Amino acid sequence: MPRAAASRSQGAGLEFSLGNSRTLLDRVLTVLAIGFSLCALLPLFSVLYMLLVRGGELLSPSLFTELTPGAGMEGGGIGNAVLGTLVVVVIASVLSLPLGLLAAIYLAEYASESKLATLVRFAGKVLTGMPSILAGVFAYALVVVTMGSFSALAGGVAMSVLMVPTVMLTAEQALRAVPEKMRMAALGMGATRTETTLRVVLPTALPGILTGVMLALARAAGETAPLLFTALFSDYWFEGKLGSPVASLAVLIYNFSGSPFPHLVKLAWAASLILVFLVLVLNVGAQLIIRRPKEI
Amino acid sequence: MSSAAARPHTQVARPPTGWQTGSNVVFRWLTHAFGGAVVVLLAGIVFEVMRHASGAMSKYGAGFVSGSTWDANRGEFGILPEIAGTLYTSFWALLLAGFLGITLALVLSQGFLHRRYEVVMKNIVELLAAIPSVVYGLWGIFVLVPLLRAPAGWLNDHFPNFPLFSTRLSGPGILPASLVLAIMILPTVTAVSREAMAAVPPRLAAAAYGLGATRWEVIFRVTLPTSAGGIFGALVLGLGRAFGETMALAMLAGNAQNFSWSLFSPGNTLAALLANHFPEAGEFEVGALMYAALVLLIITLAVNVLGSLIMLRATAGLKGLR
């Protein structure tokens, strides 16, 4: 077959052959691309490995029940930091959830195309991209300077600034995903706009909204920069005073990471393990909620 | 309207009660107010930072941006090394994360892997974004820096005159900071450029395959050129993240008030300056820090708005191809 032989000599045969330079280049690039991709993920596995090995060392019940030790002392735990993180996150949620949710209802139910809505959405996007440390600067200017001291409240304010855009933008999407028919049906039954929103649209969109809230919480729990100079740190238990500094896992990791005492560094690893575990649980929870099959 | 007794169906169809109408109006205004509050929040942040920075702004003026001393005792403040350090670390991080992120996005979007592994790998990349930056900082101090010491020392021994390797790595420095920064912006670059690649109409790739192109010929001649705008947008958004990233840099850059081209010398960035100095700042220093925060705010806002605009134009340009 002279024609087939001729085409094979030009490297354009129809059968697969690595001798063909185009095929070879294709394969080499594929191997390189997958190799680079795996390399890019190496740090993640290294981080997780180190967390389990070095963070797991100190894992015990007393870690959660005892206060952070002073410099050079042994023992102790990170109980005050765990509690403090929860306190700050709760304050931030109380401040940001109503704001984010009602703004989302405004965007999805009342004014989807108005000029103000475009402006609100733009503000949300800008806030999402804003460096988290600037939220801390804002809370410092607004709360710390006004009240004259670092405080749990200031930390909560800083965190809430970070949570609002995530909650708002995800909740808006969840509300928009509710079929228009359901609103029409409710309005046709004689419900007011408010009743439609509160009793029909919100419950239907709840899984999507919860996902956004959990993602926002996960982000907030891991943030350090906005807490450094708002909530500061405290070696004691939170005593219900919003006006005094409070400990947090994130700031503990930062403070102890530079410590010359090996025991404090160990505590920093243990705190990292707990913080990452907390954040991952929130993230996985968010994924599970959204994957639940829709009933409608 | 006649009395209620004359209407037999009052239980089924009745006009809304006063409570219903009232609550309806109140709720409507409440949502409007909270929607507006988000805009007020953003304006408030800009206003508060400007208000506290105004004193330092009138005192130091433009010299603040070009000065290079930071001395709270003498009241001299300048952020040139920080601006240079922010740009320099972000440049290296973007170079690495751009290459790896685009490669990852290709692997995740061009059918290299079975669907199931594609989803697994996508989740792993998202996991990378979920880990708090302070944990990456800790990892950088105790894993990455010790790991880099030997190769950095070798490079410095053999190429002492090459500007990038002209100093020794004594601990924290530009290189570990840039590497961790690259890990942190990798998920952003990957996710956004994957989106841009997925937006390329499948017909275009199918047509190229039909003409006999190999997979990588399709990628280089069809997919990448068509999604170039979106990929560029992804890089700009990644840059915006890199500029604002704080903790990993505060822990790894070295907090040094100087700038050097050497990868192994300590440096500083704007965000790290704020993190390191704010907790113990006196009154005058706070003013200067607020000024620095304002500079950071302006830079990141500009980069983010630019990135969003590029993404918007890139996706709009593809609509005609559908």
Side-chain angles (χ1 to χ4, degrees):
Chain A
M1 279 176 273
R3 280 182 69 186
S7 64
R8 194 170 308 148
S9 69
Q10 288 164 11
L14 283 178
E15 66 271 30
F16 180 82
S17 156
L18 279 181
N20 184 332
S21 62
R22 287 173 61 206
T23 319
L24 189 67
L25 181 69
D26 190 67
R27 285 298 142 122
V28 169
L29 284 173
T30 301
V31 170
L32 279 180
I34 293 182
F36 278 127
S37 301
L38 292 177
C39 278
L41 300 178
L42 269 184
L44 176 73
F45 293 110
S46 171
V47 169
L48 293 179
Y49 173 78
M50 289 301 287
L51 283 177
L52 289 175
V53 170
R54 301 206 51 185
E57 248 176 80
L58 285 181
L59 215 54
S60 71
S62 67
L63 193 66
F64 297 93
T65 55
E66 286 182 30
L67 292 172
T68 43
M73 292 190 339
E74 291 294 310
I78 54 172
N80 48 337
V82 176
L83 180 68
T85 293
L86 295 180
V87 168
V88 173
V89 167
V90 166
I91 297 173
S93 304
V94 168
L95 292 173
S96 66
L97 295 190
L99 176 55
L101 268 181
L102 283 169
I105 290 174
Y106 166 72
L107 287 179
E109 303 296 315
Y110 287 101
S112 52
E113 303 302 327
S114 76
K115 269 190 184 149
L116 179 61
T118 316
L119 193 64
V120 172
R121 230 170 263 133
F122 175 76
K125 289 221 172 94
V126 170
L127 284 173
T128 322
M130 193 182 69
S132 59
I133 190 153
L134 290 177
V137 174
F138 170 65
Y140 183 92
L142 194 71
V143 185
V144 176
V145 172
T146 317
M147 286 173 56
S149 78
F150 298 103
S151 64
L153 182 66
V157 169
M159 286 267 156
S160 67
V161 173
L162 297 173
M163 286 177 68
V164 164
T166 316
V167 172
M168 181 180 84
L169 294 174
T170 48
E172 190 203 346
Q173 295 217 317
L175 291 170
R176 277 178 183 280
V178 175
E180 196 59 32
K181 280 185 205 166
M182 295 181 68
R183 290 188 188 90
M184 292 301 160
L187 291 172
M189 299 278 287
T192 63
R193 199 74 187 259
T194 308
E195 286 166 336
T196 310
T197 304
L198 293 182
R199 296 210 195 151
V200 177
V201 180
L202 265 188
T204 315
L206 199 61
I209 294 173
L210 272 181
T211 301
V213 170
M214 287 177 89
L215 287 178
L217 283 175
R219 188 183 168 201
E223 280 291 352
T224 316
L227 291 184
L228 275 179
F229 44 89
T230 51
L232 210 69
F233 195 75
S234 157
D235 282 324
Y236 305 100
W237 291 104
F238 175 71
E239 286 171 329
K241 277 181 279 188
L242 293 183
S244 52
V246 67
S248 60
L249 284 169
V251 175
L252 180 144
I253 298 168
Y254 174 67
N255 285 349
F256 286 7
S257 71
S259 162
F261 301 103
H263 183 65
L264 294 190
V265 174
K266 272 187 198 169
L267 280 177
W269 280 106
S272 300
L273 178 65
I274 291 159
L275 186 60
V276 168
F277 181 74
L278 192 75
V279 169
L280 290 190
V281 165
L282 284 168
N283 269 300
V284 172
Q287 296 278 332
L288 288 183
I289 292 175
I290 202 123
R291 272 193 205 148
R292 211 179 56 172
K294 278 196 180 136
E295 286 150 26
I296 308 137
Chain B
M1 206 174 264
S2 55
S3 71
R7 295 169 69 91
H9 297 299
T10 40
Q11 289 306 309
V12 179
R14 54 163 176 74
T17 59
W19 160 251
Q20 280 177 317
T21 340
S23 66
N24 201 27
V25 172
V26 169
F27 188 72
R28 185 191 163 83
W29 282 109
L30 205 64
T31 60
H32 277 65
F34 276 76
V38 174
V39 180
V40 173
L41 179 65
L42 178 63
I45 291 172
V46 177
F47 174 77
E48 275 293 310
V49 174
M50 280 180 82
R51 187 165 70 92
H52 284 82
S54 60
M57 276 168 85
S58 56
K59 192 169 166 194
Y60 304 112
F64 184 69
V65 183
S66 59
S68 54
T69 41
W70 188 279
D71 190 332
N73 295 327
R74 283 190 294 151
E76 269 184 53
F77 301 106
I79 53 166
L80 187 63
E82 279 77 19
I83 294 178
T86 306
L87 296 177
Y88 196 52
T89 48
S90 301
F91 166 78
W92 287 113
L94 194 66
L95 199 68
L96 189 62
F99 174 71
L100 290 177
I102 292 170
T103 309
L104 261 172
L106 281 173
V107 168
L108 289 175
S109 69
Q110 301 302 305
F112 282 100
L113 303 170
H114 188 278
R115 248 247 139 55
R116 197 180 308 152
Y117 301 117
E118 220 169 66
V119 173
V120 170
M121 203 143 167
K122 207 173 136 247
N123 281 337
I124 294 179
V125 175
E126 276 167 20
L127 204 64
L128 212 57
I131 296 198
S133 64
V134 70
V135 175
Y136 279 123
L138 188 70
W139 176 79
I141 293 176
F142 292 101
V143 179
L144 192 61
V145 170
L147 207 66
L148 289 174
R149 228 174 236 143
W154 187 87
L155 283 171
N156 179 227
D157 286 341
H158 289 77
F159 309 99
N161 296 322
F162 190 56
L164 294 185
F165 309 138
S166 59
T167 57
R168 293 202 78 81
L169 185 71
S170 60
I174 299 286
L175 181 65
S178 303
L179 285 178
V180 171
L181 198 53
I183 298 170
M184 304 196 57
I185 64 174
L186 184 67
T188 310
V189 176
T190 307
V192 183
S193 46
R194 201 188 88 95
E195 234 168 74
M197 289 171 195
V200 174
R203 306 200 286 209
L204 294 183
Y209 279 125
L211 288 171
T214 64
R215 182 182 271 155
W216 281 94
E217 285 166 353
V218 172
I219 288 173
F220 281 125
R221 306 217 183 141
V222 179
T223 311
L224 286 180
T226 316
S227 55
I231 294 174
F232 185 61
L235 293 179
V236 176
L237 289 178
L239 194 65
R241 281 217 57 188
F243 283 164
E245 180 44 51
T246 311
M247 290 324 293
L249 290 162
M251 293 162 90
L252 287 168
N255 190 23
Q257 183 67 24
N258 69 327
F259 174 76
S260 150
W261 292 102
S262 169
L263 286 175
F264 308 140
S265 76
N268 210 353
T269 71
L270 278 173
L273 174 87
L274 298 178
N276 281 321
H277 287 263
F278 242 118
E280 279 135 31
E283 201 181 320
F284 291 111
E285 199 177 2
V286 164
L289 286 168
M290 287 286 179
Y291 194 177
L294 186 65
V295 174
L296 179 63
L297 183 67
I298 291 168
I299 295 176
T300 47
L301 276 192
V303 172
N304 278 323
V305 170
L306 187 72
S308 307
L309 285 181
I310 292 172
M311 288 307 291
L312 218 60
R313 285 195 60 176
T315 43
L318 281 180
K319 270 188 188 135
L321 292 170
R322 285 253 169 233

